[in-house]
Amino acid sequence: MESINELDEDGWTILHREALAGNLIQVQILLELGADKTLETPDGHTAAELASILGWTQVERKLAGQVH
């Protein structure tokens, strides 16, 4: 089984990709499975920052621990 925090060929995790896409449910599941929300992309962005860039407020709040 692959690690949930494994980096893809671009240096991103699945959490980064789901946060950028605004997929709140997938982000929640990934966090429950142990995804590391502190990991950064090669450009230095966390998943929460990627969500913020595109205005995915609920995803950003979930990653910050503000949504239950």
Side-chain angles (χ1 to χ4, degrees), residues 3-8 11-17 19 31 34-50 63:
S3 169
I4 198 161
N5 294 310
E6 185 173 327
L7 301 177
D8 65 15
W12 288 42
T13 65
I14 188 69
L15 184 62
H16 291 131
R17 300 238 181 247
L31 291 173
D36 184 348
K37 62 184 178 181
T38 67
L39 294 177
E40 296 180 352
T41 65
D43 293 332
H45 297 293
T46 64
E49 291 168 337
L50 294 169
L63 288 160

